[in-house]
Amino acid sequence: MTQQGAALQTYNNELVKCIEDLCSKRDQLNRQIQQEEEEKGRLQHDIRVLTEKLSRVNESLARRLAARADFDRTIAETEAAYMKILESSQTLLSVLKQEAGNLSKVTDPRGSS
């Protein structure tokens, strides 16, 4: 009977050691889970912050792109109007020179024979 008792004691000791090992591994796993949950929380916070920043940058970029388009349109319209003014000025100058020439012929005594 003592041999059976000794075997039972040995099994009991091994069983207790196995249970302690499992508990130790579970505790280690719990620490890893907690660390990863904390990291996940930090990452989710960073994602929220970056998403908000991205949204603000996109809104600002859209406003700036619209303003640039307004500048481009205003510049194009102004340049087109300026070109019309130059063409009109050139035409006016040409007409004025022609009229001045005609008036000179009429008023110049040498021009009338």
Side-chain angles (χ1 to χ4, degrees):
M1 193 50 104
T2 55
Q3 187 178 9
Q4 291 173 339
L8 186 59
Q9 184 64 39
T10 301
Y11 297 150
N12 184 51
N13 288 342
E14 286 184 33
L15 183 59
V16 168
K17 185 178 181 320
C18 284
I19 292 171
E20 287 174 351
D21 286 346
L22 290 175
C23 288
S24 175
K25 288 179 182 181
R26 185 195 63 201
D27 290 345
Q28 182 181 1
L29 183 60
N30 277 336
R31 284 190 296 277
Q32 291 171 345
I33 289 170
Q34 184 178 0
Q35 288 173 349
E36 287 185 356
E37 285 176 344
E38 289 171 1
E39 178 67 12
K40 177 184 172 184
R42 284 190 295 273
L43 291 172
Q44 287 175 330
H45 174 265
D46 291 348
I47 288 171
R48 278 192 302 274
V49 168
L50 290 173
T51 300
E52 290 171 7
K53 284 183 181 180
L54 178 61
S55 177
R56 286 193 301 271
V57 167
N58 280 335
E59 290 170 5
S60 175
L61 182 60
R63 286 192 305 272
R64 290 176 192 272
L65 288 171
R68 183 178 68 184
D70 289 343
F71 274 107
D72 290 344
R73 188 189 75 254
T74 301
I75 289 168
E77 289 172 357
T78 303
E79 286 176 341
Y82 183 67
M83 290 305 293
K84 287 181 182 178
I85 290 170
L86 287 178
E87 291 170 4
S88 296
S89 296
Q90 185 179 16
T91 302
L92 179 61
L93 180 60
S94 176
V95 168
L96 182 59
K97 285 181 178 180
Q98 185 178 5
E99 288 298 317
N102 290 341
L103 288 173
S104 294
K105 287 179 185 176
V106 172
T107 58
D108 188 6
R110 292 177 290 169
S112 56
S113 307

